[in-house]
Amino acid sequence: MARPAARGAPRQAAGRWRPAAARAGEWGPVPYPALEEFIVNRTKRRRMFEGPRQPVVWTLLDESALRRRIGSSEVMATQLHKIAGMAEAGRLRLPVLPHRVGAHALLQGDLTLMSFEDSAPVAYVKGFSTDNLMDDPPLVKASQTAYALALSDALSQQESRALVRAAAEDHAHAEQ
């Protein structure tokens, strides 16, 4: 079970993480109004995970995402403990691609696969300065195959949660 945190701690840490992440975004320096809009939108999106109809999200992470510090060490530790807690609660499927895998099929950018009950699946690819929503069946199929290949190299759920917790502890004990 996740170690309980002070009631406001995760939100306060998230409040410190979001500006650090946005400032490091692919757009270069982010003007303050755009940064505020980014934070408001991210906070709204987070709320869907707190409601009564919480979705189960699959997130395939590269270990580098756990190790690269965004914001302070305290912020990273808090965020990683929250992620591990969501995985332990069954709200997040969290396979992690360990560094030892080396190159993998999804190194070129972020991939989001979406499937719907009433329409064909789509793939959304985000890279440096580009976004691409693909609905062409061969491209969507190629994206699904790339995801499946990367997923086959990932750690089990239990190993992934342990790695996330270990990375959180590393950040918690790191020098600022």
Side-chain angles (χ1 to χ4, degrees):
M1 193 94 212
R3 148 180 85 139
R7 193 98 167 97
R11 285 198 174 101
Q12 290 168 353
R16 292 189 303 266
W17 174 85
R18 284 189 292 271
R23 279 192 292 274
E26 67 266 18
W27 321 284
V30 178
Y32 186 77
L35 178 60
E36 285 300 306
E37 182 180 348
F38 172 85
I39 292 168
V40 166
N41 289 337
R42 184 64 65 99
T43 301
K44 286 179 183 176
R45 189 168 40 199
R46 185 195 75 228
R47 287 190 185 122
M48 79 176 177
F49 295 103
E50 298 170 350
R53 297 179 60 199
Q54 302 168 357
V56 175
V57 175
W58 287 64
T59 301
L60 177 60
L61 286 180
D62 190 293
E63 184 178 352
S64 297
L66 306 175
R67 303 291 180 188
R68 185 175 331 281
R69 188 178 67 174
I70 306 294
S72 70
S73 295
E74 174 194 5
V75 167
M76 281 298 294
T78 301
Q79 291 299 305
L80 292 175
H81 279 299
K82 181 164 181 78
I83 288 169
M86 289 174 66
E88 289 164 354
R91 294 174 32 213
L92 178 64
R93 299 287 298 171
L94 185 68
V96 175
L97 280 162
H99 284 150
R100 70 174 180 262
V101 168
H104 57 80
L106 298 178
L107 273 177
Q108 296 180 25
D110 293 343
L111 171 65
T112 302
L113 297 172
M114 295 172 269
S115 54
F116 310 95
E117 291 181 16
D118 56 353
S119 61
V122 297
Y124 175 71
V125 179
K126 183 176 173 120
F128 180 73
S129 313
T130 62
D131 296 348
N132 189 14
L133 183 63
M134 299 181 291
D135 59 1
D136 182 47
L139 292 175
V140 173
K141 182 66 175 162
S143 298
Q144 292 168 331
T145 299
Y147 178 84
L149 288 170
L151 185 60
S152 72
D153 287 332
L155 300 173
S156 71
Q157 289 297 295
Q158 184 176 358
E159 292 168 320
S160 294
R161 286 191 304 267
L163 183 58
V164 171
R165 291 264 184 225
E169 290 305 314
D170 290 347
H171 285 290
H173 296 96
E175 290 184 27
Q176 297 293 323

